[in-house]
Amino acid sequence: MTTTNVAVLGLGIMGAGMARRLLDNGFPVTVWNRNPARSAALGDAGARVATDPADAVNGADVVIAMLSDDDASRAVWLGQASLGQASLGQASLGQGSLGQGGALAAMRAGAVGIECSTLTRDWTVALAGEAQARGVGFLDAPVTGSRIQAAGGALRFLVGGDAATLDRARPVLDVLGSESFLLGPSGSGATLKLINNFLCGVQVASLAEAMGAIERSGLDVKTAVGLLTSGAPGSPIVGAVSGRMVDRAYDPHFLVPLMAKDLAYAAQALEAFGITSDLAVAARARFDAAAGQGFADHDIAAVVEPLRKVE
């Protein structure tokens, strides 16, 4: 049995799957979630359930965060006093900004923090600076893959940071994922993840429009979709999500509002590189529309619902 103690902060679809995977592979795991009810099943499976992020990281060698957005990440790592003090994409809050209950202030020097959430590059780089100032190793390591890959240890980690820190984290990452790619300094993983989700979001939004056109035209849906997915427009995400659209199977793999958030962050990232992305804005509007029509707790495949033929 391994003696690497791991804390997992955030137990949504991905965080819960990662924590259970670690437990199943013999790691001592502590979990924390803003909604404590989500911690119960993992506590029953052997995890220590923490009262707050600072409690969670007590004695941890590796701390993994899987959170919804910049604000949630800021609050969890730096403490609730930080929430709202910095807007989207701002630089470091500076020394002395660590709030009560934050994970970073409670981590021991030499431990490794791994931010796996999909966040802005600016906040990720700022957080890396805060960690470095406290002697804590840090990686931004967002993932590709969803619920099935998290449960099965088949995630791919897109890593920003340094090679030595990644080597220290590999015993944990190798259990959770099939590959870890060191892309460059802090912020590199966050950047590629936003580009990745930009491409995914645009494809899914355009697929929803195509599905709406197929249904409204009177074409046989399964035949038409089969031809598209097996032809040039086909891609892994189109193949997977089209099936869920056809079957109206919206058990969440990736929630609608999170894709809308990722597209907003991606548009901001592209703008920083001098690219105004009308595609990111338009795709985000489709996901916002679905969320506004009652599909906020559903899989991204539900983005098709506002476009469906009215029966």
Side-chain angles (χ1 to χ4, degrees):
M1 178 177 289
T2 180
T3 57
T4 302
N5 292 288
V6 184
V8 179
L9 309 176
L11 301 175
I13 293 170
M14 300 298 289
M18 294 165 77
R20 188 168 291 276
R21 172 79 180 173
L22 290 167
L23 283 170
D24 289 346
N25 281 270
F27 284 82
V29 176
T30 299
V31 297
W32 174 85
N33 194 70
R34 183 176 59 181
N35 178 357
R38 290 190 175 179
S39 304
L42 289 162
D44 292 342
R48 182 176 77 87
V49 177
T51 57
D52 61 24
D55 176 39
V57 305
N58 183 27
D61 302 299
V62 173
V63 178
I64 295 171
M66 183 61 87
L67 305 161
S68 59
D69 57 21
D70 280 19
D71 281 344
S73 174
R74 188 176 292 111
V76 167
W77 286 106
L78 301 189
Q80 289 296 333
S82 310
L83 188 58
Q85 290 182 3
S87 61
L88 178 69
Q90 277 189 339
S92 174
L93 300 182
Q95 296 309 304
S97 62
L98 301 183
Q100 186 72 28
L104 196 54
M107 289 177 67
R108 64 171 181 80
V112 176
I114 307 175
E115 180 51 274
C116 292
S117 318
T118 303
L119 306 173
T120 64
R121 177 187 178 92
D122 284 353
W123 165 239
T124 300
V125 171
L127 178 55
E130 297 280 0
Q132 182 180 17
R134 295 191 61 83
V136 171
F138 182 82
L139 301 171
D140 54 286
V143 302
T144 63
S146 187
R147 183 181 66 190
I148 294 171
Q149 289 77 21
L155 298 170
R156 297 198 305 169
F157 289 90
L158 311 178
V159 183
D162 63 81
T165 304
L166 176 57
D167 285 344
R168 288 159 57 198
R170 280 193 187 278
V172 173
L173 297 184
D174 287 351
V175 167
L176 295 173
S178 58
E179 296 175 290
S180 297
F181 300 92
L182 183 59
L183 300 169
S186 295
S188 299
T191 298
L192 187 56
K193 180 59 188 298
L194 290 175
I195 293 170
N196 178 87
N197 283 23
F198 161 66
L199 287 171
C200 290
V202 168
Q203 286 182 79
V204 173
S206 63
L207 175 63
E209 294 181 356
M211 187 74 71
I214 288 168
E215 291 185 355
R216 292 171 187 236
S217 72
L219 289 166
D220 180 82
V221 172
K222 289 191 176 181
T223 299
V225 170
L227 288 168
L228 293 176
T229 56
S230 64
S235 70
I237 195 165
V238 167
V241 175
S242 63
R244 302 204 288 268
M245 286 182 178
V246 170
D247 296 336
R248 294 188 171 179
Y250 301 144
D251 185 38
H253 295 249
F254 188 177
L255 290 169
V256 167
L258 292 182
M259 180 59 87
K261 177 268 299 183
D262 289 355
L263 286 163
Y265 285 178
Q268 182 189 65
L270 290 167
E271 189 70 36
F273 301 135
I275 301 169
T276 300
S277 179
D278 295 334
L279 292 173
V281 172
R284 181 191 178 190
R286 288 297 184 201
F287 289 98
D288 282 339
Q293 293 189 29
F295 297 98
D297 294 328
H298 293 65
D299 184 74
I300 55 173
V303 70
V304 71
E305 286 298 322
L307 300 166
R308 297 207 103 117
K309 180 180 179 179
V310 178
E311 300 294 343

